[in-house]
Amino acid sequence: GQQLNQSPQSMFIQEGEDVSMNCTSSSIFNTWLWYKQDPGEGPVLLIALYKAGELTSNGRLTAQFGTTRKDSFLNISASIPSDVGIYFCAGFTNAGKSTFGDGTTLTVKP
Amino acid sequence: DTGVSQDPRHKITKRGQNVTFRCDPISEHNRLYWYRQTLGQGPEFLTYFQNEAQLEKSRLLSDRFSAERPKGSFSTLEIQRTEQGDSAMYLCASSSRSNEQFFGPGTRLTVL
């Protein structure tokens, strides 16, 4: 089946630093979504991407839909302590079938 | 609160027992999804409904698992004869016509 490789697996950064993470796949997706999950809670949708090459921002978050449609990137600028959590990418086919990455765990040191 | 809700939030059961979880989607969403998530992994797709029709089921959904959405609104996920390997977080999500899925808080199942 389809698999997503999400990297890095974890990040330890200082407050104020910028963060970058990405997902790659051998398969083409038509939609990329990025989620953040806190312990014991469901994932919360951050950004949705629908077109190859699309660059979308949500506050300090910026995500891009790769031009090959096989990858996506998420950047967080000027990180703050509440950015701590697990970030997931998810790729969707036209049939609505989803594949999630295994997450990037972000730790922000004050 | 008009988000996705799930009940119960936590369930502890003994091996061999049956359990049933409920999901109430966002009211105007016609698509409903069930996922399973284990520690250190992303959510794994289990099944998907559009209105009351179950359109897709993952191979992960063994014959001990069954899901229903009888009136196209809330959905239930039942696991029969639970096994320790069924211990996981069970997540429900809903969406409208786009792929933007909104998740509930999940039901944490522990099988002893």
Side-chain angles (χ1 to χ4, degrees):
Chain A
Q2 295 167 324
Q3 293 206 352
L4 289 184
N5 296 311
Q6 186 170 351
S7 66
Q9 189 175 20
S10 61
M11 300 184 74
F12 296 83
I13 62 169
Q14 205 73 34
E15 183 177 358
E17 290 182 353
D18 297 343
V19 172
S20 291
M21 60 191 78
N22 70 84
C23 280
T24 60
S25 172
S26 57
S27 303
I28 289 174
F29 291 107
N30 294 293
T31 303
W32 284 95
L33 302 182
W34 284 91
Y35 288 88
K36 178 176 182 275
Q37 187 174 27
D38 292 327
E41 300 294 330
V44 173
L45 181 63
L46 299 174
I47 291 182
L49 302 159
Y50 292 101
K51 295 180 183 177
E54 179 181 355
L55 187 71
T56 298
S57 293
N58 178 8
R60 292 178 297 106
L61 277 60
T62 302
Q64 184 162 23
F65 194 140
T67 53
T68 65
R69 295 168 62 193
K70 293 182 179 180
D71 56 6
S72 181
F73 306 85
L74 176 69
N75 296 313
I76 305 173
S77 63
S79 58
I80 59 178
S82 62
D83 290 334
V84 164
I86 304 177
Y87 291 80
F88 290 99
C89 62
F92 288 78
T93 66
N94 264 343
K97 188 168 182 179
S98 61
T99 304
F100 279 74
D102 284 337
T104 295
T105 301
L106 178 63
T107 303
V108 180
K109 292 179 280 188
Chain B
D1 189 333
T2 57
V4 179
S5 61
Q6 291 187 245
D7 184 69
R9 292 292 307 275
H10 305 274
K11 179 70 177 179
I12 300 174
T13 191
K14 292 183 179 179
R15 190 176 53 184
Q17 298 293 305
N18 299 343
V19 293
T20 300
F21 309 141
R22 176 179 170 126
C23 171
D24 286 87
I26 294 171
S27 58
E28 61 268 26
H29 286 181
N30 62 343
R31 298 179 180 181
L32 187 148
Y33 308 78
W34 284 100
Y35 291 84
R36 181 173 68 188
Q37 186 179 28
T38 53
L39 197 63
Q41 305 290 320
E44 293 177 293
F45 171 82
L46 292 178
T47 190
Y48 152 55
F49 290 86
Q50 182 157 314
N51 300 311
E52 65 274 12
Q54 189 173 18
L55 297 186
E56 191 163 348
K57 292 169 62 174
S58 164
R59 289 174 298 166
L60 293 173
L61 214 66
S62 76
D63 55 5
R64 295 185 298 105
F65 288 69
S66 62
E68 295 182 345
R69 193 182 184 198
K71 298 181 180 179
S73 56
F74 73 92
S75 175
T76 58
L77 178 68
E78 181 183 17
I79 309 174
Q80 296 182 327
R81 305 181 302 281
T82 52
E83 302 172 356
Q84 287 185 324
D86 296 332
S87 295
M89 174 79 92
Y90 289 85
L91 292 163
C92 174
S94 70
S95 70
S96 56
R97 296 182 64 183
S98 73
N99 280 326
E100 294 180 19
Q101 295 183 14
F102 295 87
F103 282 84
T107 295
R108 168 75 64 189
L109 173 66
T110 302
V111 182
L112 302 175

